[in-house]
Amino acid sequence: MLELDQQQQAARDWFETLRDRVCAAFEEIEREAGSDAAFVYTPWERTDVSGEAGGGGVREQMTGKVFEKVGVNVSTVGGQFSPEFALGIPGAEQDPRFFASGISLVAHMANPHVPAVHMNTRFLTTTRRWFGGGADLNPAIPYEEDTAAFHARLRAACAAHDPTFYPRFSKWADEYFWLPHRGVPRGVGGIFYDHLECFEPGKGATFDANFAFTRDIGEAFLDIFPQIVRLRMNAHFDEEEVEQLLEFRGRYVEFNLLYDRGTLFGLKTGGNIDAILMSLPPVAKWK
């Protein structure tokens, strides 16, 4: 068992609560589509590089009529980074001990007109503490109104905390979710943020402020994405559009295996392989 301090426990509780609400919302959409699909919960534990118990998480996955494959993972892990990996983590250069808790969600949809989506928020502790995360929309067949609605909801969540957040974090998402070998974006963007540090009172942004922002990103996602799904899930599609979807998914695979920092972090810290690779679509194609 990991020993959690008050901030760590609060973050973990929120990520698990958000997981429960997201899973319930997605199952409700399946019911509206006449499906009895439900999430299957698979707990896992890890052993730290030190040989001690290193926490774990729960992998939640559903295959349904609307959601062809959706995973909503939560994890709370801790221990020590390997010496080489610690060199690239803020605050771990001299002290490799760490704690990390978060939620990671990826949904691949059966209807090519419904966009895939990614959302992740997390809290990390080394000798420093910070929040990170974001959400981005990945349509095989983009609709300008869906993109606008998704961005507007994230913009509103950011504006409630800092007027610079949305311009900074949407630009960061455009730069991060980019496939340099193809010279194209993964999707239509969203926001991406990292290293929102939690300083002691009087020394900068507080834990409470950055935790509140991170919670609001989760709330914004839970508000807007089900709206987009319901708008598109009954749209007619043909075989040509399915092919378009499968080829688009190939780009998603390329990004997650070649560039995604979350994938690397999970693999380097001994995370559950199935949970880490949950983000990959069930079927994809390359020409």
Side-chain angles (χ1 to χ4, degrees):
M1 291 289 292
L2 297 177
E3 292 187 8
L4 278 57
D5 63 30
Q6 186 175 2
Q7 291 182 353
Q8 294 166 342
Q9 188 65 55
R12 175 182 184 173
D13 289 346
W14 162 251
F15 296 135
E16 293 182 353
T17 296
L18 180 60
R19 180 270 316 273
D20 293 343
R21 294 171 60 203
V22 168
C23 290
F26 288 0
E27 288 180 351
E28 182 178 350
I29 290 173
E30 286 291 330
R31 301 297 169 270
E32 294 171 13
S35 164
D36 61 358
F39 280 90
V40 175
Y41 288 59
T42 306
W44 58 271
E45 296 181 357
R46 65 180 283 276
T47 300
D48 187 57
V49 295
S50 65
E52 300 294 326
V58 181
R59 176 168 59 94
E60 303 86 12
Q61 191 165 315
M62 178 173 72
T63 299
K65 183 176 180 180
V66 179
F67 293 87
E68 185 172 358
K69 178 186 178 185
V70 55
V72 187
N73 295 333
V74 291
S75 62
T76 298
V77 299
Q80 297 184 28
F81 291 125
S82 63
E84 62 275 14
F85 192 58
L87 295 176
I89 304 296
E93 303 90 340
Q94 303 300 322
D95 184 343
R97 290 176 296 175
F98 79 97
F99 164 89
S101 185
I103 178 172
S104 180
L105 176 159
V106 176
H108 294 287
M109 314 305 291
N111 189 318
H113 296 278
V114 183
V117 76
H118 159 258
M119 189 276 291
N120 162 262
T121 53
R122 56 195 177 272
F123 178 55
L124 277 82
T125 301
T126 56
T127 57
R128 297 158 66 176
R129 295 181 173 226
W130 69 91
F131 285 98
D136 63 293
L137 203 63
N138 299 272
I141 302 174
Y143 288 89
E144 289 186 8
E145 56 266 43
D146 294 352
T147 301
F150 190 77
H151 278 267
R153 186 62 184 85
L154 292 174
R155 185 186 297 111
C158 290
H161 295 268
D162 187 317
T164 72
F165 276 4
Y166 178 76
R168 288 165 52 197
F169 298 159
S170 61
K171 181 176 184 292
W172 200 343
D174 290 342
E175 293 169 349
Y176 180 72
F177 296 112
W178 179 261
L179 284 79
H181 63 285
R182 291 189 180 273
V184 297
R186 186 175 82 172
V188 295
I191 66 167
F192 180 83
Y193 66 98
D194 207 357
H195 304 298
L196 284 188
E197 294 212 48
C198 303
F199 299 97
E200 295 178 9
K203 296 184 179 180
T206 67
F207 171 87
D208 290 343
N210 287 332
F211 187 26
F213 172 68
T214 294
R215 293 197 305 270
D216 279 355
I217 295 306
E219 296 287 0
F221 171 82
L222 186 54
D223 176 32
I224 189 58
F225 185 64
Q227 293 183 42
I228 295 173
V229 174
R230 288 185 169 96
L231 180 64
R232 305 292 174 192
M233 69 185 198
N234 295 316
H236 173 75
F237 60 90
D238 56 29
E239 288 300 317
E240 182 177 343
E241 290 167 330
V242 171
E243 288 296 307
Q244 186 175 346
L245 170 66
L246 297 180
E247 291 177 15
F248 174 81
R249 285 178 174 177
R251 295 182 179 182
Y252 199 95
V253 171
E254 291 169 15
F255 179 87
N256 280 34
L257 294 182
L258 293 174
Y259 307 114
D260 187 72
R261 284 163 35 181
T263 301
L264 177 63
F265 184 90
L267 293 174
K268 290 290 187 179
T269 56
N272 180 269
I273 301 299
D274 292 329
I276 296 166
L277 299 181
M278 169 277 301
S279 61
L280 301 182
V283 183
K285 281 189 176 182
W286 287 264
K287 286 186 176 179

